[in-house]
């Protein structure tokens, strides 16, 4: 699922590139981070929102967030980068189960709403 040559450590975690998204988004970057007692995953879309569309896309993402049980979409208003974030507090080690649940929830959400988001970015 990950392109091995793209997995690398960064200052506060690890970043990998996923090549198998089953919608128009096609490819995303995934950042894993562990800070104090918070484990987080960021699914970063490679498509950026054109400046003229950012207001409309921001409103769309806000409405979309109201439907979600876990995680949320954000868009950087400066460069138009969109990401889906899921964070999980924990009080002992991050278990394989926690990691798998967060990861699965992120992919399910991106696969479910990816085409709608892509259409907002492109139209």
């Amino acid at each position: 699922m990950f392109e091995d040559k793209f997995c690398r450590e960064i200052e506060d975690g690890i970043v990998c590139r996923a090549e198998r998204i089953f919608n128009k988004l096609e490819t995303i970057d995934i950042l894993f981070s562990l800070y104090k007692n918070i484990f987080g995953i960021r699914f970063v879309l490679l498509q950026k929102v054109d400046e003229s569309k950012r207001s409309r896309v921001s409103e769309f993402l806000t409405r979309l967030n109201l439907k979600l049980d876990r995680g949320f979409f954000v868009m950087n208003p400066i460069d138009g980068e969109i990401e889906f974030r899921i964070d999980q507090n924990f009080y002992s080690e991050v278990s394989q189960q926690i990691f798998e649940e967060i990861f699965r929830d992120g992919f399910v959400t991106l696969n479910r709403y990816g085409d709608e988001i892509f259409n907002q970015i492109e139209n």
Side-chain angles (χ1 to χ4, degrees):
M1 179 172 291
F2 297 121
E3 186 180 336
D4 290 338
K5 65 184 176 187
F6 193 76
C7 285
R8 69 184 194 286
E9 290 187 30
I10 56 175
E11 184 176 329
D12 63 345
I14 297 171
V15 62
C16 293
R17 176 160 289 161
E19 298 289 348
R20 295 178 187 224
I21 301 296
F22 301 107
N23 55 47
K24 294 177 184 176
L25 296 176
E26 295 179 359
T27 304
I28 59 172
D29 285 345
I30 303 174
L31 289 82
F32 305 93
S33 60
L34 188 58
Y35 180 74
K36 296 187 180 178
N37 65 334
I38 299 174
F39 172 69
I41 299 182
R42 309 284 182 264
F43 299 85
V44 182
L45 283 59
L46 300 185
Q47 298 86 346
K48 301 220 178 183
V49 180
D50 186 75
E51 190 171 2
S52 65
K53 301 174 185 177
R54 290 181 191 160
S55 178
R56 178 177 49 80
V57 172
S58 178
E59 181 179 343
F60 171 79
L61 294 175
T62 299
R63 292 178 188 277
L64 180 58
N65 283 337
L66 294 172
K67 299 177 184 179
L68 303 178
D69 293 329
R70 185 176 205 178
F72 57 96
F73 286 95
V74 297
M75 182 185 63
N76 182 325
I78 307 239
D79 66 5
E81 181 178 83
I82 295 175
E83 62 182 58
F84 181 68
R85 298 179 181 179
I86 300 179
D87 295 318
Q88 177 71 47
N89 289 332
F90 63 94
Y91 300 100
S92 61
E93 292 184 21
V94 176
S95 70
Q96 181 73 19
Q97 180 182 358
I98 290 173
F99 174 81
E100 289 174 0
E101 286 176 11
I102 293 172
F103 197 75
R104 182 197 65 233
D105 289 350
F107 266 96
V108 166
T109 300
L110 286 172
N111 282 319
R112 184 174 197 178
Y113 297 109
D115 287 339
E116 291 179 58
I117 293 169
F118 182 84
N119 289 337
Q120 291 291 319
I121 293 170
E122 293 297 310
N123 297 320

